[in-house]
């Protein structure tokens, strides 16, 4: 299947359109984005593969998607824990944190220990708005994830990758290739450097939006909020 | 399976707790409630049974759940239309309406014609906060639904039913028995007068809430947002 990629600038503009003109709140968009992330985890790492999932959240909306995903994963029967070293200021993030605390989802502080004992990791550190470079503590975090043997699902982009030009030439992330990636609303250009299982999520676009940005609405099956789309050897979708 | 019912007063208090202390916004709760409604429709009335679905929305949050459900149904490939004769004042309802308009979901005005041509109907008129009596135009609407041969899914309660004591003794709704009912978060007492397919939705409660209200968190299978629970001949769950 052919799915067009969308630049970071267009992805930001699309989000703005959804909220300014489309009637969407960030609460709604993040709920459906995080739900699609949780459904991708369910496919890549079913409950029988181990219940412990470490969700690493960055300070922005990518991290918020991770918080929502962690909540749904807890409802599915997983045992998620969250590492959230730089909490964003938006009051929504605080509310998502409260929701997780009420489900007894732990917010861990010893990342290395958590990384060594988890069955799966969700990388919700940075998404399409990442402009680099990786600031502390995220350089060290990405290096540790990269060196660990744990299977990873990245949300929107592998964290540390440039949204346009892909993995950094050197340093943290240069060899980061998550087992799975979920692109939200549309793939980003860096997907052409990606090899692994590829999902698309964000089943809420209308035709005026897909037309404006020249992107595709994938044929999501049934009531699924996520669809596996794959990439070929040249990184084409 | 045994699922405890919750009074209208406790259901209102539970919603308030979720928002005041649980960190939830109405946008989030309504998104997940409406999503569960759409998943119940998918079970009761698959696409192959006819794509035309008329969603009748009341002025409050039950109607809002219907608007969200209509949006998801449009994404699934149904052709929903919405009858929304008394639009609520909350700005969220206006935004949900905008989202539907952007998906080209029609807001119809000729209810009788729409009722005669639809394959299925979602009754999102009144939920647990209904205190009766049915004011115009809803008396006439319920009468028409009751007399029509179309299959109906009611959201939270069959509209016109008293939440405690069930169907009215006479007048509109006295013989209203929808083919399906979805209870949100927990069944309401009137479910004991109900005979038909019964679902539960609202997979977002935490243990502090289920403990406080003495209700059950049903064993939702997999990643489903809805579960069929059934009722026996005495109306027991």
């Amino acid at each position: 299947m052919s799915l067009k990629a969308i630049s970071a600038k267009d992805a930001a503009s699309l989000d703005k359109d959804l909220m300014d003109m489309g009637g969407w709140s960030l609460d709604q968009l993040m709920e459906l984005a995080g739900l699609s992330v949780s459904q991708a985890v369910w496919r890549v790492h079913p409950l029988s593969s181990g219940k412990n999932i470490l969700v690493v959240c960055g300070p922005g909306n990518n991290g918020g998607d991770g918080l929502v995903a962690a909540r749904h994963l807890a409802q599915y029967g997983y045992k998620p824990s969250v590492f959230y070293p730089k909490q964003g200021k938006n009051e929504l993030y605080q509310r998502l944190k409260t929701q997780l605390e009420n489900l007894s989802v732990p917010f861990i502080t010893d990342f290395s220990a958590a990384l060594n004992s988890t069955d799966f990791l969700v990388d919700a550190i940075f998404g399409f708005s990442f402009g680099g470079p990786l600031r502390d503590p995220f350089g060290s975090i990405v290096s540790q994830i990269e060196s660990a043997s744990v299977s990873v699902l990245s949300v929107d982009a592998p964290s540390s990758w440039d949204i346009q030009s892909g993995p950094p030439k050197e340093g943290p992330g240069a060899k980061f290739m998550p087992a799975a990636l979920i692109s939200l609303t549309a793939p980003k250009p860096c997907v052409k450097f990606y090899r692994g299982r590829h999902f698309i999520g964000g089943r809420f676009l209308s035709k005026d939006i897909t037309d404006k940005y020249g992107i595709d609405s994938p044929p999501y099956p049934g009531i699924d909020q996520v669809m596996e789309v794959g990439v070929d050897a040249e990184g084409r979708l």
Side-chain angles (χ1 to χ4, degrees), chain A residues 71-213:
Chain A
R71 165 158 51 72
H72 286 289
L73 291 169
Q75 292 285 357
Y76 301 161
Y78 291 96
K79 295 191 182 306
S81 54
V82 175
F83 183 53
Y84 195 21
K86 295 275 180 192
Q87 190 181 325
K89 298 291 178 217
N90 190 321
E91 59 87 38
L92 170 54
Y93 304 143
Q94 181 55 52
R95 290 193 286 103
L96 294 173
K97 201 177 163 191
T98 299
Q99 292 168 11
L100 286 165
E101 286 164 348
N102 287 342
L103 290 172
S104 304
V105 171
F107 281 75
I108 60 102
T109 51
D110 185 343
F111 176 67
S112 305
L115 183 62
N116 284 329
S117 63
T118 194
D119 299 312
F120 192 77
L121 188 142
V122 175
D123 155 28
I125 305 176
F126 296 115
F128 68 78
S129 60
F130 177 68
L134 277 176
R135 292 200 181 79
D136 273 342
F138 295 108
S140 155
I141 290 166
V142 168
S143 286
Q144 287 181 73
I145 295 174
E146 196 173 18
S147 310
S149 59
V150 68
S151 185
V152 176
L153 170 87
S154 285
V155 178
D156 218 26
S159 295
S160 76
W161 286 26
D162 183 87
I163 299 306
Q164 195 71 34
S165 59
K169 296 271 179 287
E170 56 184 10
K175 292 177 181 172
F176 182 32
M177 187 62 74
L181 168 69
I182 177 169
S183 297
L184 295 174
T185 70
K188 308 307 172 296
C190 62
V191 79
K192 66 171 177 282
F193 301 95
Y194 176 69
R195 305 288 177 275
R197 292 184 72 175
H198 181 218
F199 296 82
I200 190 151
R203 191 177 185 176
F204 48 71
L205 298 184
S206 52
K207 191 168 180 300
D208 58 330
I209 292 281
T210 55
D211 284 354
K212 176 171 177 181
Y213 293 96

